[in-house]
Amino acid sequence: MNIYLEGGLWVIGAASVAALVAYLVRRIGETDGIVENNEAAGQVFTIVGGLHAVLLAFVLISLFDGVSAAEDGAYQEADSLVAAYWAADSLPEPTKTEVHDLARSYSTTVADTEWPSMIDGTDISGDGWSQLDQLRKSVSEATVTDEWQNGRKTEAASQLWQVYQARQARLDTAGSDGVSGVVWFALIVGSILSVALPVMFGGPRPVTHIIIVSILAGTLALLLFATQQLQNPYSGGAKVGPDAFQIAQERLK
């Protein structure tokens, strides 16, 4: 489903339910003294709404940072792979050819095999690890004859270590559960409580009251939808694609 359509349904659904509840409360609920209770209900709403807003902001900022970190990590992994490929240009045969072939295979495996698995949240096969380990062995076993080649060998090994670190971080992120169940519970219950308190407010204009409650419910639903979409940085609305490795494949030709 289109992300804008899905988000719109979240907002409209939450706003409609809140409007119905507010209408029923005003229609069949106890109205005596409801206006006088506005001050007390407003004070409680300030505390509950403020705490919920802080939690929502913290979660969303963390998720946005996670998406940015995932994108930066993908480019770091791909760039380090290209740097190791270039460093191997100065190494003797057969190491040079082995590194070049393995680097191309690794980038293809990540972009074409691992990325779809990360999007779906399924287990990732060990082909990438095997190829990276073979790259490490090829570089470490290279026989160098002068100081320049030794420097290139050291550089290639250093860049492969950067690939390893970025790869491990990428797989850890893809294998995580995103927002934990406890946090989701707090977000959902906090949203319900934040809407329930304004429903108890009173005033001479029921239509205005219902509209206010609907807008609040729709806004909270929108933020919850954004949280759900940002849980996995490799899928959802702000997903990080394999662009870094597709660009790397052009450089490794």
Side-chain angles (χ1 to χ4, degrees):
M1 183 183 295
N2 182 277
I3 184 173
Y4 299 106
L5 176 59
E6 185 177 356
L9 292 175
W10 277 55
V11 173
I12 294 172
S16 299
V17 171
L20 177 61
V21 171
Y23 171 78
L24 293 176
V25 169
R26 294 298 296 262
R27 181 74 175 178
I28 62 178
E30 179 63 46
T31 58
D32 292 341
I34 191 172
V35 176
E36 289 76 6
N37 289 332
N38 281 355
E39 183 176 355
Q43 292 175 351
V44 176
F45 174 76
T46 300
I47 297 174
V48 174
L51 291 174
H52 185 61
V54 170
L55 178 60
L56 260 176
F58 177 78
V59 172
L60 282 173
I61 291 172
S62 298
L63 292 176
F64 275 119
D65 289 343
V67 172
S68 298
E71 185 174 16
D72 293 342
Y75 277 96
Q76 179 182 352
E77 184 179 355
D79 291 346
S80 296
L81 182 68
V82 173
Y85 178 96
W86 287 346
D89 285 341
S90 301
L91 298 180
E93 295 289 358
T95 301
K96 174 182 175 180
T97 300
E98 289 177 354
V99 171
H100 285 183
D101 291 343
L102 287 169
R104 284 191 287 264
S105 298
Y106 179 80
S107 64
T108 300
T109 296
V110 173
D112 298 344
T113 303
E114 293 186 354
W115 223 271
S117 297
M118 293 192 302
I119 293 174
D120 297 336
T122 56
D123 293 336
I124 296 174
S125 64
D127 292 344
W129 284 121
S130 299
Q131 292 163 347
L132 186 58
D133 188 52
Q134 291 174 26
L135 274 167
R136 179 191 62 81
K137 289 181 179 178
S138 296
V139 172
S140 64
E141 294 173 358
T143 302
V144 296
T145 57
D146 54 40
E147 186 176 347
W148 168 253
Q149 286 187 340
N150 186 61
R152 294 292 84 198
K153 177 180 177 179
T154 301
E155 175 64 16
S158 176
Q159 292 298 335
L160 287 177
W161 173 244
Q162 297 294 327
V163 173
Y164 167 80
Q165 289 181 308
R167 173 183 174 80
Q168 186 63 63
R170 171 169 58 83
L171 296 184
D172 289 344
T173 301
S176 67
D177 295 330
V179 179
S180 67
V182 173
V183 176
W184 267 119
F185 177 79
L187 290 176
I188 294 173
V189 173
S191 297
I192 294 173
L193 294 177
S194 296
V195 175
L197 284 168
V199 168
M200 294 186 294
F201 289 176
R205 297 180 180 178
V207 174
T208 302
H209 177 222
I210 292 172
I211 292 175
I212 291 173
V213 172
S214 299
I215 292 174
L216 176 60
T219 301
L220 291 174
L222 180 62
L223 295 176
L224 292 176
F225 174 73
T227 302
Q228 186 266 339
Q229 288 292 310
L230 293 172
Q231 277 196 108
N232 182 358
Y234 304 105
S235 65
K239 64 182 179 181
V240 177
D243 301 358
F245 289 91
Q246 292 170 349
I247 294 173
Q249 288 172 0
E250 296 296 324
R251 298 174 181 171
L252 298 177
K253 290 182 178 178

